[in-house]
């Protein structure tokens, strides 16, 4: 009898830890999505607005791939959090119904699914960021090289003008310095 009570307490503690995990997932859910979405948008909007004109950009497919992968990251993350919350509730229900054998089987399968989604989310995030960084790097390099090319002829022209510039001839009549006022 005492052993059964101890087992019941352990399962209640486990259920409470699942509740806590579910609660943390719900709390972090919107924060993660907002940080990723707003961060990605802010970076790309600032890039186009301040540094490179979209019509002058090259390798635009890289930024498109980056955006698609970041959106995929957000959606995968959203699905993962949703499933985590849903699976936690199912586990709690199984514990409340004292279906302990089902808990052992289902928790492992449920965690496997969530882990796959989380890995996919991490992978798409990394590849998306790399793609955007490549786009930015390429276009900044092109802008920098074009800026250097535009400056060289101007500087060379100024130096040439300074070398051939002579002082104008003074007027032929000289002012009288002894003139009274």
């Amino acid at each position: 009898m005492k052993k059964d009570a101890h087992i019941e307490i352990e399962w209640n503690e486990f259920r409470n830890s699942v509740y806590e995990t579910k609660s943390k997932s719900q709390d972090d859910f919107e924060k993660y999505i907002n940080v990723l979405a707003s961060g990605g948008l802010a970076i790309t909007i600032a890039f186009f607005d301040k540094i490179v004109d979209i019509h002058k950009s090259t390798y635009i497919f890289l930024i498109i791939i980056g955006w698609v992968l970041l959106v995929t990251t957000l959606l995968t993350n959203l699905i993962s959090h949703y499933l985590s919350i849903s699976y936690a509730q199912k586990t709690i229900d199984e514990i409340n119904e004292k279906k302990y054998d089902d808990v052992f089987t289902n928790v492992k399968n449920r965690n496997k699914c969530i882990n796959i989604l989380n890995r996919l989310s991490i992978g798409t995030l990394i590849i998306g960021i790399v793609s955007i960084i490549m786009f930015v790097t390429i276009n900044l390099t092109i802008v920098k090289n074009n800026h250097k090319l535009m400056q060289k002829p101007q500087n060379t022209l100024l130096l040439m003008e300074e070398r051939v510039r002579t002082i104008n001839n003074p007027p032929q009549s000289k002012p009288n310095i002894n003139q009274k006022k």
Side-chain angles (χ1 to χ4, degrees):
M1 182 80 168
K2 202 174 197 184
K3 187 176 182 180
D4 288 338
H6 182 66
I7 291 172
E8 188 77 26
I9 290 170
E10 285 180 6
W11 278 99
N12 286 334
E13 288 174 359
F14 176 68
R15 181 190 59 216
N16 291 339
S17 74
V18 174
Y19 271 128
E20 188 177 327
T21 300
K22 178 183 173 187
S23 177
K24 287 179 181 178
S25 290
Q26 288 171 328
D27 290 344
D28 291 343
F29 178 73
E30 289 209 22
K31 180 174 71 173
Y32 292 140
I33 289 175
N34 287 334
V35 167
L36 288 172
S38 62
L41 285 174
I43 288 170
T44 55
I45 288 171
F47 178 71
F48 285 118
D49 188 34
K50 305 289 182 195
I51 300 172
V52 174
D53 181 7
I54 186 72
H55 304 327
K56 296 177 183 177
S57 297
T58 59
Y59 298 99
I60 293 181
F61 72 91
L62 286 172
I63 195 76
I64 292 170
I65 289 170
W67 285 336
V68 167
L69 289 171
L70 287 180
V71 168
T72 303
T73 299
L74 293 173
L75 292 175
T76 305
N77 198 24
L78 176 69
I79 292 167
S80 173
H81 280 289
Y82 174 78
L83 286 177
S84 177
I85 293 164
S86 175
Y87 289 165
Q89 186 59 54
K90 287 180 181 181
T91 301
I92 291 166
D93 292 343
E94 289 169 351
I95 293 169
N96 288 341
E97 295 168 9
K98 300 186 189 312
K99 297 180 179 177
Y100 303 123
D101 292 333
D102 291 347
V103 172
F104 284 112
T105 305
N106 293 334
V107 166
K108 189 174 186 177
N109 291 334
R110 291 169 184 160
N111 285 339
K112 184 188 282 187
C113 180
I114 291 170
N115 287 333
I116 289 169
L117 288 171
N118 288 340
R119 287 185 188 120
L120 179 63
S121 182
I122 291 168
T124 56
L125 178 66
I126 291 169
I127 296 169
I129 289 171
V130 167
S131 177
I132 290 171
I133 289 171
M134 286 172 56
F135 173 80
V136 171
T137 303
I138 290 168
N139 282 282
L140 283 179
T141 303
I142 290 170
V143 167
K144 183 179 177 185
N145 289 341
N146 286 344
H147 186 68
K148 282 181 182 179
L149 289 174
M150 292 173 79
Q151 281 185 335
K152 269 189 176 178
Q154 293 172 348
N155 291 342
T156 306
L157 184 60
L158 285 174
L159 288 173
M160 287 176 62
E161 284 179 7
E162 289 174 1
R163 277 189 246 146
V164 293
R165 193 173 294 147
T166 58
I167 298 175
N168 293 337
N169 290 328
Q172 295 301 316
S173 41
K174 298 179 188 173
N176 187 356
I177 8 180
N178 294 331
Q179 194 176 23
K180 292 184 181 180
K181 292 184 184 179

